[in-house]
Amino acid sequence: MNYYQEAFNLISKQHQWRGSCLNMIASENITSPAVREAIASDFGHRYAEGVAGGVDENTRLKVFDRYYQGTKYFDRIEALAIKLSEELFHAEHANVVPISGVVANLVAYHALSKRGDRITALGLLDGGHISHCKISAAGVMGLKDIPYAFNEKEMNIDVDESKKIVRKEKPSIMLFGASVYLFPHPVNEMVDVAREINAKIVYDGAHVAGLIAGGRFHDPLKEGADVVTASTHKTLPGPQGGIILCKKELAEKIDNTAFPALMSNHHLHHVAGLLVALAEMKEYGSEYAGQIISNAKALAQSMHEHGIHVLCEHKNFTESHQILVDVSDHGGGAEIADRCEEANIILNKNLLPWDTFRDTRNPSGLRIGVQELTRLGMKESEMKDISMYLKQLIIDRENPGKVREEVEELKKEFNRVHYAFPSQRQAYEQIKFK
Ligand SMILES: Cc1ncc(COP(=O)(O)O)c(C=O)c1O
């Protein structure tokens, strides 16, 4: 085996394949060529341990106390990324050090609670993320996870019942936000009970950060969240990483937990890429986020008209980038997701609230996200085409190979990244140095 050759062989295949696919995993996105240039820069070789140590009087930008030399350009990159994050998320303080969304959650938990405390969050079956429960970050931090009451029809937290749970359990952290996330969580309606029991509100905006920064979702900090954590690469189209936004009074605690408690170095090239992605969001974010939501609604409506069971018709299906589909009458989520993959439509099977953990291998649902397709310039009319392909696969049981031909034809027309500064590079082009 020539490992070297095989590595590049696989990289090329990945670019060709995913470039010809409809990529609809709700937690993914595609970065612009400019962001990819930043990721490939020298910053990826460097260290910048340290914390912000004040503000430059002339520039009003953060300055840093670093442990190593060689960071003068990076310091300005990080300071600008912090400034732009604060502006886009209307936050008093930002920290761009976390290397993923889970790590951002770990930082928030460590800063705001102690072992043995409780955290309220959505249960896994209702769309909560593993990092909100005992099997992952919350458990690692010694937190006991208590699920909110969930209204399956509304696909949202049941406010009255959940307030009772919160008053009884007295969590130190009330967490909002989720992995299956159609409608904004009721931060506004529950902030009173948080203040009453002295809990901190952590809002996990991993999925919807791009919609929040684009001003098209609710604003959790304005509604009373103390801390917002997020991934930087789902609806926010940055490199893979994490971010924390918080109130000024928590800034020092959050910064000192990110470094040195939970990270030594962070991923400097990804911070550089994040800065470029944030600049794109400042320029194009509102239009981009608005089109994502329009596309999600359009796809859901067309699928519904084709007889596919899309959840929450009575609420116009979604207010986010996601739609949820119940395919239990058509073989289940695993079988349909496999059929879709054969047709070059990449999405994921998903547990729905009425499933049990025994259904994990073949749950009832599919979760579909339209943010990457939107980034390629697709609009409502393409969503109609895609709903037809999905009908052919789910209801008509059409041969996936036949559907794949249509998918590839459509995809050929969408090979540039939109809502980004102009570039001659194609969206899925492989960057080659040799
Ligand atoms: C709600 C939520 N929080 C956190 C994460 C974890 O983010 P990351 O993969 O960046 O660690 C995810 C991942 O999909 C998520 O859905």
Side-chain angles (χ1 to χ4, degrees):
M1 160 80 73
N2 182 331
Y3 291 97
Y4 179 81
Q5 227 166 41
E6 186 60 2
F8 285 100
N9 181 22
L10 292 169
I11 291 167
S12 286
K13 282 186 169 162
Q14 168 76 1
H15 277 264
Q16 274 167 21
W17 179 43
R18 295 299 290 264
S20 66
C21 286
L22 296 172
N23 297 309
M24 304 181 82
I25 300 279
S27 53
E28 297 179 352
N29 210 327
I30 184 169
T31 48
S32 67
V35 170
R36 292 172 70 201
E37 183 173 336
I39 297 171
S41 69
D42 180 69
F43 289 122
H45 307 135
R46 307 299 163 199
Y47 263 64
E49 293 181 7
V51 287
V55 171
D56 182 290
E57 275 185 14
N58 296 321
T59 63
R60 305 305 305 154
L61 290 174
K62 292 249 156 68
V63 290
F64 297 86
D65 289 332
R66 300 290 191 199
Y67 289 75
Y68 300 154
Q69 299 310 121
T71 65
K72 64 181 174 188
Y73 298 119
F74 181 71
D75 285 356
R76 189 164 163 82
I77 291 252
E78 185 166 335
L80 291 172
I82 289 170
K83 179 172 182 276
L84 201 42
S85 303
E86 289 170 353
E87 182 183 324
L88 289 170
F89 288 94
H90 313 127
E92 290 172 3
H93 180 73
N95 182 300
V96 295
V97 165
I99 55 174
S100 75
V102 168
V103 172
N105 281 343
L106 282 169
V107 171
Y109 299 162
H110 195 270
L112 303 176
S113 65
K114 56 183 190 322
R115 300 193 83 75
D117 284 358
R118 289 162 193 213
I119 179 170
T120 47
L122 276 197
L124 281 181
L125 292 171
D126 298 329
H129 187 251
I130 47 172
S131 63
H132 307 163
C133 359
K134 62 170 179 273
I135 60 168
S136 173
V140 166
M141 287 296 162
L143 296 174
K144 182 164 190 291
D145 56 316
I146 313 280
Y148 290 122
F150 192 69
N151 184 328
E152 293 176 4
K153 183 161 179 284
E154 299 300 311
M155 285 301 286
N156 210 332
I157 292 168
D158 179 324
V159 172
D160 291 340
E161 289 306 311
S162 296
K163 279 189 174 184
K164 286 183 201 160
I165 292 170
V166 166
R167 285 197 174 100
K168 178 165 172 273
E169 300 288 347
K170 300 204 171 16
S172 52
I173 294 176
M174 288 171 60
L175 189 135
F176 296 92
S179 299
V180 173
Y181 200 13
L182 301 178
F183 305 104
H185 280 173
V187 179
N188 220 1
E189 288 100 308
M190 293 185 66
V191 68
D192 58 342
V193 72
R195 303 294 179 250
E196 185 186 310
I197 62 154
N198 215 9
K200 289 279 185 270
I201 295 182
V202 175
Y203 183 98
D204 183 340
H207 266 268
V208 289
L211 307 181
I212 295 171
R216 302 292 184 139
F217 209 62
H218 69 161
D219 182 339
L221 286 166
K222 197 166 163 206
E223 290 192 14
D226 298 285
V227 174
V228 171
T229 61
S231 306
T232 50
H233 50 269
K234 302 186 195 305
T235 50
L236 191 67
Q240 295 195 336
I243 187 169
I244 303 178
L245 300 314
C246 67
K247 293 180 172 169
K248 213 180 215 155
E249 71 220 40
L250 295 172
E252 207 178 321
K253 237 180 183 174
I254 291 288
D255 284 358
N256 291 335
T257 308
F259 176 89
L262 288 174
M263 267 154 295
S264 60
N265 195 33
H266 48 307
H267 294 170
L268 313 193
H269 51 324
H270 284 203
V271 175
L274 176 64
L275 174 58
V276 176
L278 292 169
E280 289 167 354
M281 286 300 293
K282 184 173 162 68
E283 189 76 16
Y284 308 103
S286 171
E287 198 193 340
Y288 158 67
Q291 190 62 51
I292 288 176
I293 296 166
S294 301
N295 282 352
K297 286 180 187 290
L299 178 64
Q301 181 63 37
S302 291
M303 288 175 73
H304 168 75
E305 286 166 13
H306 287 312
I308 298 170
H309 181 188
V310 187
L311 268 51
C312 291
E313 185 208 350
H314 69 293
K315 295 174 78 171
N316 206 1
F317 306 105
T318 185
E319 292 298 330
S320 77
H321 60 303
Q322 297 183 8
I323 66 174
L324 272 187
V325 183
D326 186 339
V327 287
S328 51
D329 289 343
H330 304 281
E335 206 224 298
I336 298 294
D338 282 348
R339 282 177 64 71
C340 288
E341 182 171 358
E342 272 186 70
N344 277 8
I345 299 178
I346 310 294
L347 40 73
N348 66 277
K349 60 179 182 281
N350 219 101
L351 288 160
L352 297 180
W354 39 90
D355 286 333
T356 70
F357 287 113
R358 280 196 301 277
D359 302 316
T360 303
R361 282 185 186 278
N362 191 19
S364 298
L366 298 176
R367 186 185 65 168
I368 304 179
V370 298
Q371 67 290 343
E372 183 167 334
L373 301 184
T374 304
R375 197 120 160 97
L376 296 173
M378 290 195 189
K379 299 226 160 105
E380 288 83 348
S381 71
E382 285 75 36
M383 296 301 120
K384 271 199 169 157
D385 295 340
I386 294 167
S387 75
M388 179 57 79
Y389 308 149
L390 289 167
K391 172 186 175 276
Q392 289 166 0
L393 291 161
I394 297 171
I395 294 183
D396 304 341
R397 308 294 292 181
E398 189 89 65
N399 177 346
K402 219 170 135 223
V403 179
R404 186 169 63 231
E405 288 170 19
E406 295 181 64
V407 165
E408 286 178 354
E409 275 309 303
L410 173 71
K411 191 66 192 298
K412 270 189 204 148
E413 294 168 36
F414 294 90
N415 52 22
R416 301 262 176 219
V417 177
H418 291 234
Y419 311 103
F421 299 104
S423 162
Q424 292 310 308
R425 295 280 193 165
Q426 295 206 349
Y428 297 90
E429 199 173 317
Q430 184 184 344
I431 296 172
K432 292 186 178 173
F433 292 103
K434 55 184 173 68

